Coordinates of all heavy atoms in Angstrom, one line a residue:
Chain B
Q44 N 2.1 7.8 21.9 CA 2.2 9.2 22.0 C 3.7 9.6 22.3 O 4.1 10.7 21.8 CB 1.4 9.7 23.2 CG -0.1 9.6 22.9 CD -1.0 9.8 24.2 OE1 -0.5 10.1 25.3 NE2 -2.3 9.6 24.1
M45 N 4.4 8.8 23.0 CA 5.8 9.1 23.3 C 6.6 9.0 22.0 O 7.5 9.8 21.8 CB 6.4 8.1 24.4 CG 5.8 8.5 25.8 SD 6.2 7.2 27.0 CE 8.0 7.3 27.0
R46 N 6.3 8.0 21.2 CA 7.1 7.9 19.9 C 6.8 9.0 19.0 O 7.7 9.5 18.3 CB 6.7 6.6 19.2 CG 7.4 5.3 19.8 CD 7.2 4.2 18.9 NE 7.9 4.3 17.6 CZ 8.9 3.6 17.3 NH1 9.4 2.7 18.1 NH2 9.5 3.8 16.1
N47 N 5.6 9.5 19.1 CA 5.2 10.7 18.2 C 5.7 12.0 18.8 O 5.6 13.0 18.1 CB 3.7 10.8 18.1 CG 3.1 9.7 17.3 OD1 3.8 9.0 16.5 ND2 1.8 9.5 17.3
G48 N 6.2 11.9 20.0 CA 6.7 13.2 20.6 C 5.6 14.0 21.3 O 5.8 15.1 21.8
V49 N 4.3 13.4 21.3 CA 3.2 14.1 21.9 C 3.3 14.1 23.4 O 3.0 15.0 24.1 CB 1.9 13.5 21.4 CG1 0.7 14.1 22.2 CG2 1.7 13.6 19.9
A50 N 3.8 12.9 23.9 CA 3.9 12.8 25.4 C 5.4 12.6 25.7 O 6.1 11.9 25.0 CB 3.2 11.6 25.9
R51 N 5.9 13.4 26.7 CA 7.3 13.3 27.1 C 7.4 13.2 28.6 O 7.9 14.1 29.2 CB 8.1 14.5 26.5 CG 8.1 14.6 25.0 CD 8.8 15.8 24.5 NE 10.2 15.4 24.1 CZ 11.0 16.3 23.5 NH1 10.7 17.5 23.3 NH2 12.2 15.8 23.1
P52 N 6.9 12.1 29.2 CA 6.9 12.0 30.6 C 8.3 11.9 31.2 O 9.2 11.3 30.6 CB 6.0 10.8 30.9 CG 6.2 10.0 29.7 CD 6.4 10.9 28.5
G53 N 8.4 12.5 32.4 CA 9.7 12.3 33.2 C 9.6 11.0 34.0 O 10.7 10.4 34.3
V54 N 8.4 10.6 34.4 CA 8.3 9.4 35.2 C 7.1 8.6 34.6 O 6.1 9.1 34.2 CB 7.9 9.8 36.6 CG1 7.8 8.5 37.5 CG2 8.9 10.7 37.2
I55 N 7.4 7.3 34.5 CA 6.3 6.4 34.1 C 6.0 5.5 35.3 O 6.9 4.9 35.8 CB 6.7 5.5 32.9 CG1 6.8 6.5 31.6 CG2 5.7 4.4 32.6 CD1 7.3 5.8 30.4
I56 N 4.7 5.4 35.6 CA 4.3 4.5 36.7 C 3.4 3.4 36.2 O 2.3 3.6 35.7 CB 3.5 5.4 37.8 CG1 4.4 6.5 38.3 CG2 3.0 4.5 38.9 CD1 3.6 7.5 39.1
D57 N 4.0 2.2 36.2 CA 3.3 1.0 35.7 C 2.5 0.5 36.8 O 2.9 0.1 37.9 CB 4.4 0.0 35.3 CG 3.8 -1.2 34.7 OD1 2.6 -1.4 34.7 OD2 4.6 -2.1 34.1
I58 N 1.2 0.4 36.5 CA 0.2 -0.1 37.5 C -0.2 -1.5 37.4 O -1.1 -2.0 38.1 CB -1.1 0.8 37.5 CG1 -1.7 0.9 36.1 CG2 -0.7 2.3 38.0 CD1 -3.0 1.5 36.0
K59 N 0.4 -2.2 36.5 CA 0.0 -3.6 36.3 C 0.4 -4.6 37.4 O -0.1 -5.7 37.4 CB 0.6 -4.1 34.9 CG -0.1 -3.6 33.7 CD 0.3 -4.3 32.4 CE 1.8 -4.2 32.1 NZ 2.2 -2.8 31.7
G60 N 1.3 -4.1 38.3 CA 1.7 -5.0 39.4 C 0.8 -4.8 40.6 O 1.0 -5.4 41.7
I61 N -0.3 -4.0 40.5 CA -1.1 -3.7 41.7 C -2.4 -4.6 41.6 O -3.1 -4.5 40.6 CB -1.5 -2.2 41.7 CG1 -0.3 -1.3 41.7 CG2 -2.5 -1.9 42.9 CD1 -0.5 0.1 41.5
G62 N -2.6 -5.4 42.7 CA -3.7 -6.4 42.6 C -5.0 -5.8 42.3 O -5.7 -6.3 41.4
E63 N -5.4 -4.7 43.0 CA -6.8 -4.2 42.8 C -7.0 -3.7 41.3 O -8.1 -3.7 40.9 CB -7.0 -3.1 43.8 CG -8.5 -2.7 43.9 CD -8.8 -1.5 44.8 OE1 -7.8 -1.1 45.5 OE2 -9.9 -1.1 44.9
L64 N -6.0 -3.4 40.7 CA -6.1 -2.8 39.3 C -6.1 -3.9 38.2 O -6.3 -3.6 37.1 CB -5.0 -1.8 39.0 CG -5.4 -0.4 39.6 CD1 -5.2 -0.3 41.0 CD2 -4.6 0.7 38.8
T65 N -5.8 -5.1 38.7 CA -5.8 -6.2 37.7 C -6.8 -7.3 38.0 O -6.8 -8.4 37.3 CB -4.3 -6.8 37.6 OG1 -3.9 -7.2 38.9 CG2 -3.4 -5.8 37.0
D66 N -7.6 -7.1 39.0 CA -8.6 -8.1 39.4 C -9.9 -8.0 38.6 O -10.3 -6.9 38.2 CB -8.9 -8.0 40.9 CG -7.9 -8.6 41.8 OD1 -7.0 -9.3 41.3 OD2 -8.0 -8.3 43.0
I67 N -10.5 -9.2 38.5 CA -11.9 -9.2 38.0 C -12.7 -9.9 39.1 O -12.4 -11.1 39.4 CB -12.0 -10.0 36.7 CG1 -11.0 -9.5 35.6 CG2 -13.5 -10.0 36.1 CD1 -10.9 -10.4 34.4
A68 N -13.7 -9.2 39.6 CA -14.4 -9.8 40.8 C -15.9 -9.7 40.5 O -16.4 -8.7 40.1 CB -14.1 -9.0 42.1
E69 N -16.6 -10.9 40.7 CA -18.0 -10.9 40.6 C -18.6 -10.9 42.0 O -18.3 -11.8 42.8 CB -18.5 -12.1 39.8 CG -20.0 -12.1 39.5 CD -20.4 -13.3 38.6 OE1 -19.6 -14.2 38.3 OE2 -21.6 -13.3 38.2
G70 N -19.4 -9.9 42.3 CA -20.0 -9.8 43.7 C -21.1 -10.8 43.9 O -21.7 -11.3 42.9
A71 N -21.4 -11.0 45.2 CA -22.5 -11.9 45.5 C -23.9 -11.4 44.9 O -24.7 -12.2 44.6 CB -22.7 -12.0 47.0
D72 N -24.0 -10.1 44.7 CA -25.2 -9.5 44.1 C -25.2 -9.5 42.6 O -26.2 -9.1 42.0 CB -25.4 -8.0 44.6 CG -24.2 -7.2 44.1 OD1 -23.2 -7.7 43.6 OD2 -24.3 -5.9 44.3
G73 N -24.2 -10.1 42.0 CA -24.1 -10.2 40.6 C -23.4 -9.0 39.9 O -23.3 -8.9 38.7
S74 N -22.9 -8.0 40.7 CA -22.2 -6.9 40.1 C -20.8 -7.4 39.8 O -20.3 -8.4 40.2 CB -22.1 -5.8 41.1 OG -21.3 -6.2 42.2
F75 N -20.1 -6.7 38.9 CA -18.7 -7.0 38.5 C -17.9 -5.8 38.8 O -18.3 -4.6 38.6 CB -18.7 -7.3 37.0 CG -18.8 -8.7 36.6 CD1 -20.0 -9.3 36.3 CD2 -17.7 -9.6 36.6 CE1 -20.1 -10.6 35.9 CE2 -17.8 -10.9 36.3 CZ -19.0 -11.4 36.0
T76 N -16.7 -6.1 39.3 CA -15.7 -5.0 39.5 C -14.5 -5.4 38.6 O -13.9 -6.5 38.8 CB -15.3 -4.8 40.9 OG1 -16.5 -4.5 41.7 CG2 -14.3 -3.7 41.1

Side-chain angles (χ1 to χ4, degrees):
Chain B
Q44 289 168 10
M45 288 170 64
R46 282 190 69 109
N47 289 345
V49 175
R51 302 178 97 175
V54 182
I55 290 174
I56 301 169
D57 183 349
I58 55 169
K59 284 193 296 295
I61 302 169
E63 192 180 358
L64 276 77
T65 51
D66 280 350
I67 306 169
E69 186 172 8
D72 61 352
S74 66
F75 266 95
T76 303

